[in-house]
């Protein structure tokens, strides 16, 4: 399905990013597993992929750091001379109500979740334009579509990702490059595991399918968008949220 494609998944050491990396590798892509802090977690992702017969390599870069991103892309292109798939998944949260939110909390989330995507898009676009081919999938969030109290920084960034997706899809479409976004709802990860039972129940009331999603369901959509089967889809945001954002 993705035979001999070269893919980069940012923030792939855990959660949704890890499942995306594993899924792309299972479709025969070579996957660069980007991480910021935990080399051990990234290597665990790589080992999982190799145990399943896939190919992967861990690569470090803080996507909020433009110089680090530049070095990461240089390393990838020196080794493989191309990049076929970019998945912008890296993201953080620093939740707070607006009257309590510090500028540092706002800036840190914007720097990783919005600037981080921009930094990677710029390098990927340059290479993909040379190739006249490529797939870019940005991981947004249902929070960027409908908003969420206490997450003005996160929602602003994720809404911005949707805007960048549409804009870049128009810029790159004539060269055979597609740019799409996936907007997950509440997915079972380490982050959601920390929610209290009351909050979990309140959230489930808002979800028509009455369950949280699985990271594998996000990964499946990303793999589809990365494939030739999705060659005529661009500029779209696919909400995978159990109907929450209807």
């Amino acid at each position: 399905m993705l035979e001999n494609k070269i893919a980069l998944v940012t923030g792939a050491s855990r959660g949704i990013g890890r499942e995306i990396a594993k899924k792309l590798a299972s479709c025969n892509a070579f996957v660069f597993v980007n991480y910021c802090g935990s080399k051990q977690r990234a290597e665990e992702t790589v080992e999982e992929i190799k145990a399943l017969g896939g190919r992967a390599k861990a690569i470090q870069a803080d996507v909020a750091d433009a110089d680090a991103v530049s070095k990461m892309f240089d390393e990838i292109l020196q080794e493989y001379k191309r990049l076929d798939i970019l998945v912008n998944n890296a993201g953080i949260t620093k939740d707070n109500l607006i009257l309590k939110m510090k500028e540092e909390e706002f800036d840190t989330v914007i720097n990783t979740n919005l600037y981080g995507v921009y930094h990677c898009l710029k390098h990927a676009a340059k290479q993909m334009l040379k190739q006249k081919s490529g797939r870019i999938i940005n991981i947004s969030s249902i929070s960027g579509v409908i908003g969420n109290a206490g997450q003005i920084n996160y929602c602003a960034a994720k809404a911005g990702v949707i805007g960048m997706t549409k804009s870049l899809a128009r810029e790159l479409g004539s060269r055979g490059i597609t740019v799409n976004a996936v907007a997950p709802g509440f997915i079972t990860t380490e982050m959601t595991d920390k929610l209290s039972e009351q909050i979990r129940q309140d959230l489930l009331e808002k979800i028509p399918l009455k369950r949280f999603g699985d990271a594998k369901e996000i990964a499946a959509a990303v793999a589809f968008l990365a494939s030739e089967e999705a060659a005529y889809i661009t500029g779209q945001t696919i909400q995978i949220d159990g109907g929450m954002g209807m």
Side-chain angles (χ1 to χ4, degrees):
M1 186 175 172
L2 300 175
E3 193 74 42
N4 297 322
K5 299 294 185 183
I6 307 302
L8 168 63
V9 183
T10 67
S13 63
R14 61 181 179 177
I16 292 172
R18 176 176 284 191
E19 289 301 330
I20 290 171
K22 288 165 59 179
K23 180 65 175 179
L24 296 180
S26 76
C27 296
N28 297 321
F30 182 96
V31 182
F32 281 93
V33 174
N34 162 261
Y35 68 98
C36 177
S38 179
K39 183 177 182 179
Q40 180 182 340
R41 282 177 174 266
E43 292 293 354
E44 287 171 3
T45 302
V46 170
E47 289 308 314
E48 281 189 44
I49 287 170
K50 289 181 177 179
L52 295 170
R55 298 168 298 150
K57 179 180 179 179
I59 189 165
Q60 197 277 336
D62 178 355
V63 296
D65 182 336
D67 290 338
V69 171
S70 180
K71 290 175 183 176
M72 173 173 67
F73 274 84
D74 284 347
E75 183 178 334
I76 292 169
L77 296 176
Q78 283 172 11
E79 190 167 349
Y80 282 96
K81 314 300 182 189
R82 64 184 295 112
L83 180 68
D84 302 294
I85 301 160
L86 168 65
V87 183
N88 279 309
N89 170 74
I92 61 171
T93 57
K94 286 187 178 292
D95 299 349
N96 225 332
L97 296 173
I98 190 167
L99 296 183
K100 295 181 179 179
M101 184 171 288
K102 299 173 184 175
E103 286 196 15
E104 179 272 333
E105 292 173 324
F106 188 88
D107 290 346
T108 302
V109 170
I110 294 295
N111 287 341
T112 295
N113 296 14
L114 191 60
Y115 273 104
V117 174
Y118 162 74
H119 294 149
C120 293
L121 289 177
K122 196 165 188 177
H123 288 281
K126 182 179 180 180
Q127 179 60 32
M128 290 177 179
L129 282 168
K130 290 180 183 177
Q131 299 167 187
K132 295 185 179 179
S133 67
R135 297 281 186 269
I136 296 173
I137 301 103
N138 299 320
I139 307 301
S140 179
S141 169
I142 193 61
S143 297
V145 179
I146 64 175
N148 197 26
Q151 286 194 318
I152 194 169
N153 49 3
Y154 185 79
C155 295
K158 292 301 188 179
V161 167
I162 292 172
M164 287 197 295
T165 298
K166 293 177 180 179
S167 181
L168 199 60
R170 293 185 184 277
E171 286 189 31
L172 304 183
S174 64
R175 301 295 184 92
I177 302 162
T178 66
V179 188
N180 292 288
V182 171
F186 282 88
I187 307 300
T188 300
T189 62
E190 289 178 15
M191 197 179 297
T192 55
D193 287 344
K194 295 175 183 176
L195 297 174
S196 71
E197 188 58 33
Q198 184 59 54
I199 292 175
R200 290 173 66 87
Q201 290 305 315
D202 290 345
L203 288 171
L204 289 171
E205 285 300 313
K206 300 174 183 177
I207 302 171
L209 289 183
K210 300 302 178 188
R211 68 173 176 87
F212 286 179
D214 190 289
K216 289 183 174 66
E217 293 170 307
I218 308 301
V222 170
F224 169 68
L225 290 171
S227 74
E228 284 304 309
E229 293 174 320
Y232 202 54
I233 301 173
T234 197
Q236 303 304 305
T237 299
I238 299 178
Q239 296 176 200
I240 306 176
D241 62 359
M244 187 177 184
M246 278 194 291

